[in-house]
């Protein structure tokens, strides 16, 4: 039973990890290539994903805040 639980949890954790990393990677790539409009459109999705994984304890609240801050900062730097 414990093994089944571990496998289920591992699958769930992996899915969350891949989801949040994919969104972060996407927005960072859009910012670096200069697609500012698209990056701004994906920003709410990024915030939602980071808040959700932080709420579930997958990443710490401070890390989520730090990622959001840094990405937003890089986005505004490119905009100006």
């Amino acid at each position: 039973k414990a093994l089944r639980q571990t496998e289920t949890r591992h699958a769930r954790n992996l899915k969350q990890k891949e989801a949040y990393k994919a969104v972060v990677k996407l927005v960072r790539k859009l910012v670096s290539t200069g697609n500012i409009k698209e990056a701004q459109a994906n920003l709410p999705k990024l915030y939602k994903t980071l808040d959700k994984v932080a709420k579930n304890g997958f990443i710490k609240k401070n890390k989520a805040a730090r990622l959001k801050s840094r990405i937003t900062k890089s986005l505004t730097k490119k905009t100006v």
Side-chain angles (χ1 to χ4, degrees):
K1 183 179 176 185
L3 185 62
R4 288 194 309 268
Q5 287 175 331
T6 304
E7 287 173 353
T8 307
R9 288 178 187 145
H10 177 67
R12 188 181 325 124
N13 288 341
L14 199 60
K15 188 176 175 185
Q16 276 190 319
K17 181 179 181 181
E18 288 170 350
Y20 106 81
K21 286 199 173 199
V23 175
V24 169
K25 193 174 181 179
L26 171 74
V27 175
R28 280 189 175 152
K29 188 176 182 181
L30 289 171
V31 169
S32 66
T33 56
N35 292 338
I36 304 302
K37 294 271 187 214
E38 230 178 301
Q40 285 176 336
N42 281 308
L43 212 57
K45 184 180 177 186
L46 172 79
Y47 282 11
K48 182 180 177 184
T49 307
L50 287 174
D51 288 339
K52 195 172 275 191
V53 293
K55 184 185 83 174
N56 293 338
F58 187 75
I59 61 173
K60 292 191 175 173
K61 194 173 76 171
N62 215 32
K63 180 174 180 171
R66 190 174 64 240
L67 284 169
K68 289 193 291 189
S69 173
R70 286 180 180 169
I71 290 172
T72 307
K73 188 175 165 185
S74 69
L75 188 63
T76 54
K77 194 182 282 188
K78 289 273 186 174
T79 307
V80 175

